[in-house]
Amino acid sequence: MAAQTISEGTIASVQDREARNRQYLRIWLYLVLMVLATIVIVGGATRMTGSGLSITEWKPIHGIIPPLGHDQWMEEFDKYQQIPQYQRLNKGMSLAEFQQIFWWEWVHRFLARGVGFLVALPLAFFWLTGRLERRLKPRMVGILALGGLQGAVGWWMVASGLVDRVDVSQYRLATHLTLACFIFAAVMYVARGLTVYSGAPADRQIQRFAGWFVVCVFIQIYLGALVAGLDAGLSYNTWPLMDGTVVPGDLFPIQPIWHNFFENPKTVQFVHRCFAYFVFAVAIWQAISTMRQAPGTTHARRAVLLAVLVALQAAIGITTLLMQVPIGLGLLHQGFAIVLLGFSVAHWRATKGSYPLETEVVSGR
């Protein structure tokens, strides 16, 4: 009996330590989420101000130091003057005007480098001090690797605008933003898996619905990135009609037809609008379904709140369109998309409950 008491006491002590470690990990991951969200918003500002091509070289290490004197500034400016964006759009701009767009891109890259250290250094500390649970190790290494890949994808995107174009490829822009959102979602999923929930996990149907809704949000973000890459929001600035009709004409002038879904601004905006209606309908359906299957639970309340967030995002999107995409509203629309994605992932993880403690797995509890 005494041995059993000691054993149970030991397990309780270890579980207390695991719970404290999880709290430290959550704080760290929430800080990472804040920086990731900031990077996405600054990236949006970089695109909207036409700043993304101001730095024409990829220097992952040396590039962290900005120009320090007039000669170095002129060297960067001379490099920018060689690309089509300057020659066709910004010819004759002053050094001061160049510096304004340079700083947007530099800050974006600085934050991207910084978040790499924010993940890698604490990860090493938690790992080496035994505070990182076994199941989290491959997940966090995978997230760190995706961060490195994102840096390469970012340069791949910038490179598309340095030779023949005055902007970056909408295909590469959409890939860059979607991968950033995937990293954000992965961090959120892990962080919420370390949370203590008061209620029991939801049934499998609610879990699957929540997971599919996350997929819908990702698709809508990708479509929104195509709209941004083509500046498709600067035309057809009416709602609910588009070009005077519910379904506008001339949606498929490009051959082959599938190219219109990625290269025709009119078609891309129309598809983004239609899928927004679909996401809103799915959010309402999820809220009603969850309230019926799990009435009075936190799962139902989150599903309702998620539907409200979708409605708010739709209202922001419509206002942004009607106002012809002023930078403030454009950034609000992009930033709120991150909020919506984060909440949808948090809801999905919460329907599954938290990760079991390692002592629970070992002891069979």
Side-chain angles (χ1 to χ4, degrees):
M1 185 69 178
Q4 183 179 1
T5 302
I6 294 173
S7 178
E8 290 179 352
T10 301
I11 291 175
S13 175
V14 173
Q15 288 181 343
D16 287 342
R17 185 169 65 250
E18 288 181 349
R20 288 195 302 273
N21 289 338
R22 285 189 170 193
Q23 183 178 9
Y24 301 144
L25 289 168
R26 288 200 307 274
I27 293 172
W28 164 49
L29 293 177
Y30 289 148
L31 180 59
V32 172
L33 287 170
M34 292 174 59
V35 177
L36 288 173
T38 302
I39 292 172
V40 172
I41 295 172
V42 172
T46 300
R47 179 191 59 78
M48 296 187 73
T49 56
S51 306
L53 299 178
S54 58
I55 302 178
T56 60
E57 296 178 326
W58 189 34
K59 299 177 180 178
I61 305 300
H62 178 64
I64 198 171
I65 303 175
L68 299 177
H70 180 76
D71 291 342
Q72 291 185 12
W73 274 113
M74 288 305 301
E75 181 181 350
E76 290 293 333
F77 193 21
D78 288 341
K79 293 174 183 177
Y80 178 67
Q81 290 174 340
Q82 306 306 311
I83 69 172
Q85 187 185 75
Y86 173 83
Q87 296 166 0
R88 300 178 195 173
L89 295 181
N90 294 330
K91 197 171 185 65
M93 76 184 314
S94 66
L95 176 61
E97 291 171 330
F98 169 72
Q99 289 173 328
Q100 290 179 6
I101 64 173
F102 179 94
W103 281 119
W104 276 115
E105 176 65 7
W106 184 86
V107 169
H108 184 54
R109 296 191 187 194
F110 178 81
L111 289 172
R113 293 183 179 98
V115 78
F117 288 103
L118 183 60
V119 173
L121 296 181
L123 174 61
F125 170 77
F126 287 125
W127 192 317
L128 295 175
T129 57
R131 291 175 169 85
L132 193 67
E133 297 172 28
R134 183 177 304 173
R135 70 164 57 81
L136 298 182
K137 293 178 180 178
R139 290 171 171 81
M140 293 310 305
V141 170
I143 289 172
L144 186 62
L146 286 176
L149 176 63
Q150 175 71 336
V153 170
W155 173 247
W156 176 64
M157 176 190 69
V158 170
S160 68
L162 298 179
V163 181
D164 300 318
R165 302 171 58 107
V166 297
D167 54 8
V168 300
S169 163
Q170 72 275 18
Y171 293 100
R172 300 188 187 189
L173 173 65
T175 302
H176 187 50
L177 177 59
T178 305
L179 181 55
C181 291
F182 185 83
I183 295 171
F184 179 88
V187 176
M188 177 66 78
Y189 189 85
V190 172
R192 298 308 296 171
L194 299 173
T195 300
V196 178
Y197 295 101
S198 57
D203 63 37
R204 290 291 297 170
Q205 184 175 355
I206 293 176
Q207 292 180 24
R208 286 193 294 267
F209 205 149
W212 280 111
F213 185 77
V214 172
V215 173
C216 289
V217 174
F218 266 113
I219 293 173
Q220 183 66 349
I221 288 174
Y222 179 84
L223 294 173
L226 292 177
V227 170
L230 292 169
D231 290 325
L234 299 178
S235 56
Y236 309 106
N237 302 102
T238 58
W239 185 86
L241 300 182
M242 180 177 175
D243 201 18
T245 62
V246 175
V247 180
D250 200 27
L251 289 174
F252 304 108
I254 303 174
Q255 296 297 326
I257 287 178
W258 68 268
H259 281 194
N260 291 278
F261 293 97
F262 301 93
E263 299 175 9
N264 183 358
K266 189 175 190 178
T267 308
V268 168
Q269 189 194 128
F270 180 69
V271 172
H272 186 54
R273 289 188 184 207
C274 291
F275 202 78
Y277 303 145
F278 176 75
V279 172
F280 181 65
V282 172
I284 297 297
W285 181 17
Q286 177 177 228
I288 295 173
S289 175
T290 306
M291 285 190 295
R292 286 178 175 176
Q293 295 180 61
T297 64
T298 55
H299 306 304
R301 290 190 288 272
R302 281 194 311 272
V304 172
L305 179 56
L306 191 53
V308 173
L309 293 178
V310 173
L312 287 174
Q313 174 68 341
I316 295 170
I318 292 168
T319 305
T320 302
L321 178 72
L322 295 176
M323 298 290 289
Q324 295 186 314
V325 198
I327 186 169
L329 279 175
L331 293 179
L332 177 62
H333 189 46
Q334 181 163 315
F336 205 80
I338 298 300
V339 173
L340 179 58
L341 173 64
F343 194 86
S344 64
V345 173
H347 172 60
W348 180 31
R349 178 66 249 185
T351 62
K352 298 183 174 185
S354 58
Y355 297 121
L357 293 170
E358 287 192 330
T359 49
E360 291 177 340
V361 175
V362 173
S363 64
R365 295 188 177 187

